[in-house]
Amino acid sequence: MTRPTTADRARALLPHVVLLAVVLAAWTAVAASDLVSPSYLTPSPLEVWNAFVRANSDHPIGGGVDRIVRGEENYYLWEHLLASLQRIGLGLVFAVLVGIPLGLLMGVRAIGALLGPYVDFLRSIPPLAYIGFLVAWFGIYDTSKVWLLFLAAFPPIALATLNGVRGVRGDYLDAIRTLGAGRLSTVTQVVLPATLPDILSGLRVAVGFAWTTVVAAELVNGLPGIGGLAYLSGSQNKIALSVACIIVIGLTAIALDLLIRLAERRLAGWRGKD
Amino acid sequence: MTQHEVVVAGLEHEFRSRGGAVRALDRIDLTIAPGELVTLAGPSGCGKSTLLRILAGLTQPTTGTVHVGADPVTAPGADRGVVFQRPTLYPWLDVRANVEIGLKLRGVPKDERRAIAERQLEVVGLADAADRRPYELSGGMQQRAQIARVLANDPDIILMDEPFGALDALTREKLQAELLDLWRRTGKTILFITHSVDEAVYLGSRVLVMSPRPGRIVFDEPARFVRGGELVPTDEVRTLAEFTDLTTRVREAINH
Ligand SMILES: Nc1ncnc2c1ncn2[C@@H]1O[C@H](COP(=O)(O)OP(=O)(O)O)[C@@H](O)[C@H]1O
Ligand SMILES: [Mg+2]
């Protein structure tokens, strides 16, 4: 097999570029036409771009007033994004800290049989169902949101870990025991590394889940927050800004997914080769 | 080296499952002296692996005992290394780290265990493959690496379960010769399981044959080929009349 040349890559990219151009052109055409009125409901790609730039800079408030404001709602758009990412980051850290040990524990048959139904139950609940209850318990600020993300993210991680543990080859365990490993080193030297590919798949599911959840959770007191900004701007008829937020949300989700896939390729490249 | 004999007394084993009980081993009494290379031949399914797993401490026998010296075997331990039929190298580690892992478990410092691993990889002819992952090696190389991993742990007793069974004839013969050299050099106690009569007679200083289920030891003879007080060189053993004769008798024992 020869390495793809730059020309090969350019040729492979071409259909994507064409499709994107067509989509943008169609969008521009719809925005320019009178198909939808009032026209602010259909911002053009350029208007969305301008809203995006404005939201990331200090700009005059407009409407004949001289005052300069910072981004949107006193935060730049990237700060809104960062606030959301921090929430899911925190929620995921707790989910990993609880989910992985729980999954490993559930690998012990008796414990798995005991706890399995509860984890299945938690997983089957749409996380947003918790929000009212969590707000009552933890208030409307970030604590309740981080709890929500934790609850959304830990079942997939625990169940993926469990799945991985159950799939560890018996002779891998036999081998490490005959090399002198006790219980703890069996877990750290074999069970965990053997399970890592499954943990990463679980993490990928969890991140996707947490991202949709955080955006939705920010409908209530979600500023700064990219989901909160998307909702607020829409409800204030700043459609261009709202669309900009939506695009940022989508692209961020794709970027997060790519990041974990990259980690999977680096850390779990051996999967399927043993 | 303080080595101990392995004593198996009144060993029986039965696997119980929903379909009923399978009697795998029947009254095995066996003493392996330090430094012996005992080969155990028998048809597949006769209980050879079961006996090996019991000696390793991986399976608890239904009745009977195993002792190494004065100590009863109740669990696996680093004093009894196992080379499994299917290589069990860890794909998330490179070959060097695989060989080091037993030493790592015992807290041997990094430099020291690296040196030991390199030496053992040298012994099995894999020095160049240290940085590769197991799945990048051929079957024969994987088996060599697995042997290096056990050797690095320096066990008194090495239990080998048909380690060369899946290899092509040329590789198998090469590894057999290497194993013999290694044994003659180190004087380890080795139990080597095989379903090949030729392999059993060629390698063993003592050959055992196990009967079909339930497994029983039905043949037990020394197999040292000595000429003028010296061991016959490994590459000449197969040409000896005694070799052919013992091979015939082992084959008869397996076929009753
Ligand atoms: N874990 C097990 N559960 C039930 N039966 C088993 C188990 N392991 C082995 N056996 C049975 O015990 C007998 C001996 O098996 P084994 O020791 O693997 O034979 P060998 O290694 O000589 O081919 C076989 O009939 C096999 O089916
Ligand atoms: Mg077997």
Side-chain angles (χ1 to χ4, degrees):
Chain A
M1 219 170 68
T2 52
R3 286 179 145 279
T5 64
T6 317
D8 286 339
R9 284 215 197 98
R11 211 168 302 133
L13 215 57
L14 192 66
H16 297 282
V17 173
V18 170
L19 180 61
L20 185 63
V22 168
V23 169
L24 287 176
W27 175 4
T28 310
V30 171
S33 73
D34 292 333
L35 279 178
V36 182
S37 64
S39 70
Y40 71 81
L41 285 179
T42 51
S44 70
L46 187 65
E47 286 169 306
V48 170
W49 173 251
N50 288 337
F52 174 78
V53 171
R54 254 169 71 95
N56 278 302
S57 52
D58 297 321
H59 55 85
I61 195 164
V65 184
D66 259 354
R67 223 177 72 216
I68 298 286
V69 294
R70 185 171 198 273
E72 296 288 344
E73 306 299 324
N74 241 343
Y75 294 94
Y76 297 128
L77 188 142
W78 66 264
E79 289 172 324
H80 286 285
L81 179 63
L82 201 64
S84 302
L85 285 174
Q86 271 169 356
R87 289 183 186 120
I88 76 164
L90 212 54
L92 283 169
V93 166
F94 290 124
V96 163
L97 288 179
V98 172
I100 293 176
L102 186 67
L104 290 176
L105 267 179
M106 285 167 66
V108 181
R109 215 153 274 287
I111 299 179
L114 210 60
L115 299 183
Y118 294 92
V119 179
D120 276 332
F121 177 79
L122 286 179
R123 184 187 51 166
S124 64
I125 298 170
L128 287 173
Y130 301 119
I131 191 83
F133 149 83
L134 289 174
V135 165
W137 269 47
F138 301 110
I140 55 170
Y141 298 105
D142 268 8
T143 312
S144 58
K145 292 192 179 62
V146 171
W147 262 101
L148 180 72
L149 293 170
F150 163 74
L151 287 171
F154 100 84
I157 292 174
L159 291 170
T161 306
L162 173 63
N163 190 40
V165 171
R166 293 220 168 123
V168 177
R169 268 172 54 180
D171 56 355
Y172 280 175
L173 301 174
D174 289 344
I176 201 73
R177 292 175 68 208
T178 60
L179 288 166
R183 223 167 239 281
L184 183 65
S185 10
T186 298
V187 171
T188 59
Q189 302 300 311
V190 176
V191 176
L192 257 183
T195 305
L196 189 63
D198 295 275
I199 293 177
L200 287 173
S201 328
L203 188 65
R204 235 176 103 200
V205 173
V207 168
F209 218 31
W211 188 238
T212 45
T213 305
V214 75
V215 166
E218 286 169 357
L219 296 189
V220 182
N221 200 50
L223 290 178
I226 192 75
L229 187 63
Y231 174 70
L232 185 78
S233 52
S235 64
Q236 292 175 349
N237 284 335
K238 297 181 191 162
I239 304 297
L241 177 59
S242 192
V243 171
C245 290
I246 288 167
I247 292 174
V248 166
I249 288 166
L251 291 179
T252 306
I254 291 173
L256 287 175
D257 199 60
L258 274 178
L259 214 65
I260 300 176
R261 275 193 215 217
L262 210 69
E264 273 183 326
R265 199 169 329 151
R266 295 216 41 158
L267 299 173
W270 55 267
R271 169 174 244 178
K273 290 177 182 158
D274 55 331
Chain B
M1 203 180 327
T2 56
Q3 283 200 3
H4 304 288
E5 53 180 21
V6 180
V7 181
V8 176
L11 199 70
E12 292 177 22
H13 194 72
E14 219 172 66
F15 289 105
R16 291 190 196 87
S17 58
R18 258 163 293 164
V22 174
R23 207 168 165 67
L25 295 175
D26 191 33
R27 289 220 68 84
I28 307 252
D29 293 290
L30 175 68
T31 300
I32 299 174
E36 275 192 304
L37 198 176
V38 177
T39 52
L40 173 60
S44 90
C46 72
K48 304 184 295 297
S49 296
T50 305
L51 177 60
L52 179 135
R53 290 179 61 85
I54 291 172
L55 294 185
L58 291 167
T59 299
Q60 300 306 316
T62 315
T63 40
T65 56
V66 176
H67 283 80
V68 174
D71 302 327
V73 167
T74 54
D79 60 320
R80 284 154 287 134
V82 179
V83 178
F84 295 86
Q85 177 164 14
R86 181 175 168 203
T88 54
L89 301 164
Y90 300 120
W92 54 86
L93 301 175
D94 62 21
V95 171
R96 182 187 292 107
N98 264 287
V99 174
E100 282 180 28
I101 198 164
L103 301 165
K104 189 175 168 194
L105 292 172
R106 255 179 294 148
V108 176
K110 204 176 169 78
D111 292 345
E112 194 179 327
R113 64 178 197 244
R114 170 168 275 240
I116 293 172
E118 305 267 312
R119 192 170 343 119
Q120 295 305 341
L121 283 170
E122 196 94 38
V123 166
V124 300
L126 275 186
D128 293 340
D131 292 319
R132 292 206 252 160
R133 293 290 178 97
Y135 50 81
E136 296 170 329
L137 308 185
S138 69
M141 291 163 89
Q142 290 186 25
Q143 225 27 306
R144 283 198 174 111
Q146 204 191 181
I147 291 168
R149 181 168 72 179
V150 169
L151 289 176
N153 236 11
D154 197 25
D156 292 336
I157 298 159
I158 304 179
L159 307 167
M160 305 178 89
D161 192 355
E162 303 193 26
F164 308 148
L167 306 179
D168 63 89
L170 283 175
T171 310
R172 189 182 324 138
E173 279 180 22
K174 190 157 188 297
L175 288 185
Q176 286 171 353
E178 287 172 12
L179 179 68
L180 262 192
D181 284 337
L182 194 121
W183 171 68
R184 287 183 178 180
R185 239 186 6 258
T186 59
K188 299 266 182 211
T189 310
I190 299 177
L191 176 68
F192 186 104
I193 288 178
T194 177
H195 59 248
S196 153
V197 172
D198 170 82
E199 189 168 64
V201 176
Y202 175 70
L203 286 178
S205 66
R206 175 181 169 195
V207 180
L208 307 178
V209 172
M210 194 179 261
S211 66
R213 244 177 33 216
R216 220 172 313 136
I217 307 284
V218 292
F219 181 99
D220 182 351
E221 283 196 23
R224 303 186 82 102
F225 302 106
V226 183
R227 188 170 52 200
E230 294 264 320
L231 278 175
V232 177
T234 53
D235 53 349
E236 289 174 32
V237 165
R238 281 196 171 93
T239 63
L240 298 173
E242 297 99 304
F243 179 85
T244 321
D245 173 56
L246 187 56
T247 305
T248 309
R249 283 188 295 123
V250 168
R251 193 161 278 129
E252 275 166 3
I254 290 177
N255 301 325
H256 298 290

